[in-house]
Amino acid sequence: MSRKIRVLVAKPGLDGHDRGAKVVATALRDAGMEVIYTGLHQTPEMIVEAALQEDVDVIGLSVHSGAHVPLFRKVLTLMQENGLGDVLLTGGGIIPAEDMKMLREEGAGRLFGPGTATSELVSYIRESVNQESA
Amino acid sequence: MSSDLLDRIASGDRRALARGLSSVEDRAPGFRDLLRGASGSAGAAHRVGLTGAPGVGKSTLVSALTTEARKRGRRVAILAIDPSSPFTGGALLGDRVRMTDHLLDQDVFVRSMASRGAQGGLSTATGDALDLLDAAGFDLVLVETVGAGQGDVDVAAEAETTCVLFAPGAGDAIQAMKSGLMEVADLWVVNKADDDRAERVRADILSSLMLHDPPDDLDERVRMVSASTGSGVAALLDALDARLDQLEASGARAESRRERIRYRVGRAAAETLREATETSSSDALVDDVLQGRSSVHDAAEALLRSVASTSSGEQP
Ligand SMILES: Nc1nc2c(ncn2[C@@H]2O[C@H](COP(=O)(O)OP(=O)(O)O)[C@@H](O)[C@H]2O)c(=O)[nH]1
Ligand SMILES: [Mg+2]
């Protein structure tokens, strides 16, 4: 049986709806991935613990709160602490280019701005995961 | 490598357990060694299956039962199975949304599994995953089936206790009768008892069970709960405990474990054979039938022989 790409899709923070995260989750499923969807209001601790239990290849965060920098940083730290350093952390939201660049330098993968085609995310995940396991 | 992984799993390393579960799900190299080690320590956890139509409240009840079991100091593992798309192989596994209460509890472990083409409400690796969870020392393992609303009957073979769930406006007794779910239940659970219509659902279940050969303690075994308010959940866990004690005392537990292993040996053999038919090495056998040189059954015999002679696998 071939290895399936497993992705955790989470919506951290307190802001209201998860439409964006659901669209992404559905697109990844339609691209043949196994998507673990955890719902709203997840703390970084909950996200990383779920990622650990589910043994995912990728964590995708949908962040629209403006608090993306501390959130991604906290998740990255917890990933390191829990031995998930080889898991790809990606995501999207209203994130200024300089923050994307900074978070990348700190260990996150590519982050995507609003309105990015989901197909772009799909190919990015496929390429990154295949590189990792090659 | 895998005996080391098993040691880590048995010592409570959750990362190791997560890795081990992936290994059996993916049928990764070494997964048989891992399971060989686990089979020795399997048998302690109470394996409870929960099935029923979409929306009856399986995930919510799994979470409520977990809350109750944690109050009693039990370690709980949850396997939640959702369907894979037959077209893309992808899956959206969303049961965790209802289980977030336990996310930071180190004595609760939740794993979502995609059915990966298996019919019957589980995935091919569910039984193997249960063995690993058992080896990891959980006291209670709850399995939530796909709940496609029809034919999720495999759970009865993998679980020691099967709960079939019903709820007003979701699963009803007639549907369950048609799909064979009614017969596989050890406990019939009417969820959403906070809804006025729940009594009616219970009455329907009782009357359809009366038509067949009802157990003496039928009244006890058709239970009302409200997973969202928690009412009746402690009593349901009491009933699960009582059942396990009874199975243990009568020797039925050991017997059912034997039967489960027998069933799983058959499934594992079938899996190996199915894989063999999917490789090009079976092309010649297929051609022989196509050209009238042999029958489908001759080809099957030949396939069995070739699998037997080549499956060195990973011998002990
Ligand atoms: N009123 C009421 N609603 C419930 C109860 N248990 C679950 N639900 C709701 O039923 C819906 C389906 O629940 P879920 O656990 O996802 O069902 P599943 O598809 O069987 O896993 C959700 O909206 C739940 O909030 C209950 O005891 N009472
Ligand atoms: Mg569910």
Side-chain angles (χ1 to χ4, degrees):
Chain A
M1 193 173 288
S2 72
R3 178 110 175 66
K4 285 268 167 220
I5 297 179
R6 286 171 69 86
V7 188
L8 184 93
V9 172
K11 176 87 174 76
L14 295 175
D15 55 320
H17 67 79
D18 59 351
R19 218 172 306 133
K22 278 186 175 153
V23 169
V24 167
T26 309
L28 297 180
R29 180 204 54 192
D30 293 344
M33 302 179 194
E34 292 183 355
V35 182
I36 294 102
Y37 184 67
T38 62
L40 287 166
H41 309 320
Q42 302 289 297
T43 64
E45 285 79 6
M46 291 161 100
I47 290 165
V48 173
E49 181 60 32
L52 182 150
Q53 294 179 7
E54 299 287 359
D55 192 28
V56 294
D57 307 288
V58 182
I59 300 176
L61 301 184
S62 160
V63 187
H64 289 268
S65 65
H68 47 269
V69 173
L71 269 170
F72 274 96
R73 275 196 181 139
K74 182 75 190 171
V75 171
L76 279 170
T77 308
L78 290 167
M79 285 168 68
Q80 290 299 337
E81 284 173 16
N82 284 278
L84 303 183
D86 55 343
V87 172
L88 172 69
L89 176 64
T90 176
I94 309 163
I95 305 173
E98 62 266 31
D99 289 354
M100 290 187 181
K101 187 160 169 282
M102 182 175 69
L103 289 166
R104 271 208 98 159
E105 280 159 12
E106 294 178 24
R110 249 179 86 187
L111 305 179
F112 296 84
T116 313
T118 49
S119 57
E120 213 177 309
L121 180 64
V122 166
S123 10
Y124 172 64
I125 289 178
R126 278 205 188 119
E127 280 162 25
S128 311
V129 172
N130 291 339
Q131 230 156 43
E132 185 68 37
S133 58
Chain B
M1 163 263 168
S2 52
S3 83
D4 174 51
L5 186 63
L6 187 67
D7 288 344
R8 284 165 57 208
I9 291 174
S11 74
D13 179 338
R14 303 196 316 293
R15 175 97 174 114
L17 175 58
R19 282 272 160 96
L21 289 169
S22 298
S23 156
V24 298
E25 257 198 301
D26 295 340
R27 302 315 202 197
F31 86 97
R32 289 190 183 85
D33 292 326
L34 182 64
L35 290 171
R36 186 174 307 122
S39 71
S41 47
H46 189 187
R47 303 177 178 204
V48 176
L50 295 98
T51 186
V56 289
K58 295 181 294 297
S59 300
T60 314
L61 184 60
V62 162
S63 184
L65 276 170
T66 301
T67 303
E68 189 55 38
R70 291 296 299 131
K71 285 186 198 157
R72 302 180 189 188
R74 317 263 172 83
R75 297 181 67 223
V76 183
I78 298 165
L79 278 188
I81 298 136
D82 272 318
S84 298
S85 157
F87 304 108
T88 67
L92 192 51
L93 311 172
D95 294 314
R96 266 185 178 270
V97 172
R98 312 229 179 269
M99 301 176 186
T100 49
D101 285 358
H102 313 290
L103 246 187
L104 297 178
D105 183 342
Q106 307 273 306
D107 290 314
V108 177
F109 189 99
V110 181
R111 181 64 174 237
S112 313
M113 287 178 104
S115 64
R116 297 195 181 178
Q119 305 296 317
L122 302 177
S123 70
T124 307
T126 299
D128 299 329
L130 285 169
D131 280 353
L132 283 190
L133 294 168
D134 208 340
F138 290 97
D139 303 301
L140 176 64
V141 183
L142 302 169
V143 183
E144 174 181 346
T145 75
V146 166
Q150 42 173 316
D152 276 15
V153 293
D154 282 2
V155 68
E158 294 288 1
E160 297 179 289
T161 301
T162 302
C163 299
V164 178
L165 271 65
F166 303 84
D172 66 42
I174 313 269
Q175 276 174 313
M177 278 292 186
K178 285 188 189 156
S179 63
L181 264 191
M182 208 68 179
E183 293 90 325
V184 302
D186 299 302
L187 293 171
W188 295 265
V189 179
V190 181
N191 187 33
K192 311 196 187 184
D194 51 286
D195 184 315
D196 296 340
R197 298 167 298 165
E199 268 304 337
R200 177 72 229 210
V201 174
R202 184 171 191 274
D204 284 347
I205 294 169
L206 284 172
S207 57
S208 41
L209 289 173
M210 290 303 198
L211 296 175
H212 299 276
D213 180 21
D216 298 338
D217 55 349
L218 184 61
D219 207 50
E220 274 283 285
R221 283 165 61 178
V222 184
R223 312 206 59 100
M224 303 277 279
V225 300
S226 169
S228 50
T229 70
S231 123
V233 175
L236 176 59
L237 189 57
D238 289 342
L240 292 173
D241 287 351
R243 178 179 150 80
L244 187 65
D245 289 346
Q246 193 194 333
L247 290 176
E248 194 83 72
S250 66
R253 190 177 193 202
E255 185 51 39
S256 87
R257 185 155 180 239
R258 252 195 104 74
E259 283 313 306
R260 192 165 68 240
I261 291 170
R262 192 190 300 281
Y263 164 84
R264 289 181 53 203
V265 169
R267 295 285 289 237
E271 185 184 339
T272 305
L273 281 172
R274 186 168 35 72
E275 274 160 17
T277 61
E278 284 161 6
T279 65
S280 54
S281 61
S282 62
D283 285 354
L285 295 174
V286 173
D287 287 339
D288 283 347
V289 181
L290 264 177
Q291 285 151 23
R293 286 194 291 271
S294 67
S295 78
V296 166
H297 296 275
D298 298 331
E301 283 284 340
L303 180 74
L304 274 170
R305 273 194 302 274
S306 84
V307 167
S309 64
T310 56
S311 80
S312 56
E314 301 146 40
Q315 295 300 319

